[in-house]
Amino acid sequence: MALFEEIVVLLKDIFTWKGHGCQTTLLRLLEDWMQRSPLSCCFRGVKKNMSTFLWQRAYQVIRSRLFLLFSIILLTGFLWVHFTGSRDELLPDERREYVVRPNVRAIKDVPPTNLSDDSLPTTYVSTTTGKNSVISGSFKNTIKLMSETRRSQTVSSACREQFDVSFLKVHKAGSTTVMNIFLRFAISHNLSIVLPHKSQGFGFNYLGYGKTVSRDTIVPLPRNETYNILCNHVVYNKEAFRSILPVDTMYVGILREPVSHFKSASLYYGFYNQLKKVIVDGRPAISEFLKETNMYKIGTYFVHNRMSYDLGIPPTKFNDNLFVHEYIRQLDQDYALMMIMERFAESLVLLRRTLCWTTKDILYVPLNAMKNKPSIHLTEEDVQHLSTWNKADFQLHDYFRSKFDETVQNQGQDLQDEVNSFTAIKDSVSKFCNDIRKLPSNSIAVKHVSTTRLSPGFDVTQNDCRLMTEDELPMMSRLIKKAWQHYNNSLSVS
């Protein structure tokens, strides 16, 4: 009643003004709305408690041109708020409803579970009523969870799943594992991969062995098709890459801490063993080499500023500080993300966020990792000499590591929460993929990963595990043969 009394007082103040004109159409619309409105009883109550004189004056005001202008302004304001304002701000938390469109699956509300839980939750499928179905009770928390998950998985409302991506496969920087992620994504989404034209022979998996990509060294595509994914070994060249890939391609790379990279490459490519054959007088081979790198005639192709070379810095410019500095600045403009191997989990989560992919898309089982590998010890003096000899690599890593740290810091605890969640899921899936290798060949096994706040639920099949654990060269050979078959079939059709 207090609200009605305030309305009456307000009307009395308005009635002192003498209106002019007649807006019959607006009056009829208002009368019709007042009769059909759920609050019509309130309007009748107000009218009943007002004198006939006051009601007549109210009619005069409603029929005036000024009131028409006021109504239009008010209506415009309501429409503006409706289409631009946040729904969450318009309603308090306890009054919000979460609506599921017909034929959309929603996971039933379940208590928090361990990420390694294999249980498959029951599903709910909305009925096809042709209208929105409002789910309440135990389902409401689930829909809210799904809404929060989508926001977390896409980072922003403007995020769009990226299908055109170039990943620069830098030697000995965890790139084989990342390459497998991109190949699986291409396979699952039926995308076109930039593939070498040979399916066997030494270095057949390179798009360019020590050089950049060109159309005469890759599998051609049928007419009216475009390449989507590039992830093989090749030297980066901006113009060459853009001549093959779509204009909206997103560029991603990876780097590794230079000392660790040098050690790994020295062992993997046999540089350390060759050096020990050259320096045979008992002196530490690496230390002696780093003191006078020009004294020894030994191949340094994979250990001398190799990351810089893969990213397009020519060897003649390794010691040109100004050129390297400007080139790194240009790389920063070209690349949406430069992953850091020693921060691999964070790098993958940032990759997922940058490309708007899902948690399942970035899962992996470690590949190409050397088991029982020997170690190389470097003294502080050795590191100092190495930082001079491989100065370009150190500059490159320092720049992008600093930018990476800043990005991680800006994304705050939410990023760390997703990293922890992803790591737990990855470990659980890795264990599953390793365990099913022991099962008979005719067995069928499926790993279900439950929905969490940071990731929607999904299934991991035996085929997923097979792709995650398949060696690079057999997979590459199979994909190349399939690509050639696809191209040749298109020729016979045309």
Side-chain angles (χ1 to χ4, degrees):
M1 289 304 297
L3 177 60
F4 291 154
E5 291 175 359
E6 291 180 6
I7 295 175
V8 171
V9 171
L10 178 62
L11 289 174
K12 286 181 178 180
D13 293 338
I14 297 174
F15 297 154
T16 59
W17 180 83
K18 294 183 178 181
H20 299 280
C22 180
Q23 304 298 332
T24 306
T25 303
L26 175 62
L27 177 60
R28 289 177 179 174
L29 289 173
L30 290 173
E31 288 177 340
D32 181 62
W33 175 78
M34 290 167 64
Q35 292 176 1
R36 292 185 293 103
S37 172
L39 300 177
S40 59
C41 60
C42 300
F43 294 118
R44 289 195 297 270
V46 172
K47 181 177 179 181
K48 183 177 180 180
N49 289 304
M50 293 173 60
S51 65
T52 303
F53 173 75
L54 290 178
W55 189 248
Q56 290 175 348
R57 297 301 295 271
Y59 264 42
Q60 291 177 2
V61 171
I62 293 173
R63 295 165 62 181
S64 68
R65 292 177 180 175
L66 184 60
F67 184 80
L68 174 62
L69 178 61
F70 172 77
S71 301
I72 293 174
I73 294 174
L74 188 63
L75 179 61
T76 303
F78 276 123
L79 291 174
W80 183 84
V81 171
H82 177 75
F83 288 106
T84 63
S86 170
R87 301 299 186 274
D88 289 349
E89 295 174 358
L90 294 176
L91 291 176
D93 291 341
E94 62 273 11
R95 292 182 57 193
R96 296 177 193 165
E97 295 288 349
Y98 296 85
V99 180
V100 176
R101 300 293 181 185
N103 300 322
V104 175
R105 290 159 56 95
I107 304 300
K108 268 190 176 181
D109 186 32
V110 294
T113 59
N114 188 295
L115 292 174
S116 63
D117 184 10
D118 293 336
S119 60
L120 180 65
T122 309
T123 60
Y124 166 80
V125 182
S126 61
T127 58
T128 55
T129 60
K131 299 181 180 179
N132 295 340
S133 303
V134 179
I135 297 180
S136 58
S138 62
F139 288 109
K140 188 179 295 184
N141 291 334
T142 298
I143 306 304
K144 185 173 183 180
L145 174 64
M146 293 171 67
S147 176
E148 291 175 348
T149 298
R150 279 191 289 270
R151 285 196 296 271
S152 174
Q153 288 282 294
T154 57
V155 181
S156 70
S157 58
C159 192
R160 181 174 58 87
E161 188 175 30
Q162 188 72 24
F163 296 103
D164 300 328
V165 188
S166 167
F167 170 67
L168 192 75
K169 192 175 187 289
V170 175
H171 291 81
K172 300 313 297 174
S175 56
T176 299
T177 299
V178 182
M179 177 190 183
N180 179 270
I181 290 173
F182 279 100
L183 291 177
R184 289 184 354 246
F185 184 84
I187 292 170
S188 64
H189 292 81
N190 195 29
L191 302 178
S192 297
I193 310 170
V194 181
L195 293 169
H197 68 297
K198 295 181 179 180
S199 60
Q200 59 184 355
F202 176 77
F204 79 89
N205 58 317
Y206 280 66
L207 290 172
Y209 196 85
K211 58 184 179 180
T212 193
V213 65
S214 62
R215 287 191 178 272
D216 60 350
T217 61
I218 61 178
V219 180
L221 286 179
R223 187 176 301 176
N224 298 326
E225 291 188 18
T226 58
Y227 294 104
N228 303 111
I229 300 292
L230 185 156
C231 57
N232 286 70
H233 279 305
V234 69
V235 175
Y236 176 67
N237 178 280
K238 184 175 181 177
E239 289 72 24
F241 276 50
R242 280 154 180 74
S243 69
I244 292 175
L245 297 169
V247 294
D248 65 342
T249 299
M250 196 166 285
Y251 290 80
V252 176
I254 189 168
L255 295 172
R256 181 176 184 174
E257 191 278 318
V259 175
S260 173
H261 181 270
F262 174 77
K263 290 180 179 180
S264 178
S266 295
L267 291 170
Y268 186 83
Y269 294 107
F271 173 77
Y272 182 57
N273 288 332
Q274 293 179 33
L275 196 60
K276 288 193 295 183
K277 295 178 181 179
V278 174
I279 304 175
V280 295
D281 55 2
R283 293 175 298 166
I286 292 290
S287 297
E288 292 302 314
F289 170 80
L290 291 175
K291 289 178 182 178
E292 295 289 344
T293 55
N294 295 325
M295 182 181 297
Y296 303 95
K297 293 182 179 180
I298 186 173
T300 59
Y301 184 68
F302 289 105
V303 295
H304 186 206
N305 288 312
R306 184 66 206 196
M307 294 187 293
S308 299
Y309 183 76
D310 285 341
L311 279 160
I313 300 179
T316 57
K317 297 292 186 180
F318 284 164
N319 296 320
D320 188 336
N321 293 332
L322 180 60
F323 177 88
V324 172
H325 176 77
E326 291 301 322
Y327 191 87
I328 291 173
R329 292 285 187 179
Q330 184 59 52
L331 287 176
D332 193 12
Q333 297 295 317
D334 295 347
Y335 279 75
L337 174 66
M338 193 66 73
M339 303 168 65
I340 302 296
M341 180 182 169
E342 57 268 26
R343 306 278 291 278
F344 199 60
E346 291 165 302
S347 293
L348 287 178
V349 172
L350 287 177
L351 176 71
R352 187 204 65 71
R353 295 185 173 198
T354 300
L355 303 180
C356 300
W357 288 3
T358 67
T359 296
K360 183 178 180 179
D361 292 331
I362 61 170
L363 285 175
Y364 71 96
V365 174
L367 300 173
N368 216 27
M370 295 178 63
K371 298 179 180 180
N372 302 319
K373 59 183 178 182
S375 60
I376 296 177
H377 175 71
L378 296 183
T379 65
E380 292 184 7
E381 184 180 4
D382 294 337
V383 173
Q384 184 62 41
H385 290 149
L386 179 64
S387 65
T388 301
W389 188 53
N390 277 351
K391 188 174 184 179
D393 271 6
F394 276 81
Q395 287 180 268
L396 186 68
H397 179 267
D398 287 348
Y399 180 91
F400 283 105
R401 173 59 188 263
S402 177
K403 182 178 180 179
F404 184 91
D405 290 341
E406 181 180 355
T407 302
V408 170
Q409 184 176 3
N410 290 340
Q411 299 208 15
Q413 187 60 41
D414 181 66
L415 175 67
Q416 295 304 320
D417 290 342
E418 185 174 349
V419 169
N420 294 337
S421 174
F422 167 70
T423 301
I425 293 173
K426 185 264 299 180
D427 291 344
S428 176
V429 170
S430 295
K431 182 179 183 302
F432 168 74
C433 289
N434 289 324
D435 288 345
I436 64 173
R437 292 181 177 181
K438 307 170 186 177
L439 298 177
S441 58
N442 59 348
S443 300
I444 299 177
V446 175
K447 165 78 175 176
H448 179 73
V449 178
S450 303
T451 297
T452 70
R453 183 181 68 84
L454 296 166
S455 172
F458 57 88
D459 291 336
V460 178
T461 66
Q462 287 174 292
N463 187 57
D464 292 326
C465 289
R466 182 183 64 80
L467 290 175
M468 280 191 280
T469 56
E470 187 173 7
D471 289 336
E472 175 189 351
L473 297 185
M475 175 184 272
M476 189 55 52
S477 180
R478 175 170 56 85
L479 291 174
I480 293 171
K481 291 176 181 178
K482 183 178 180 180
W484 272 115
Q485 182 180 10
H486 176 62
Y487 174 72
N488 291 329
N489 290 341
S490 70
L491 295 179
S492 60
V493 171
S494 60

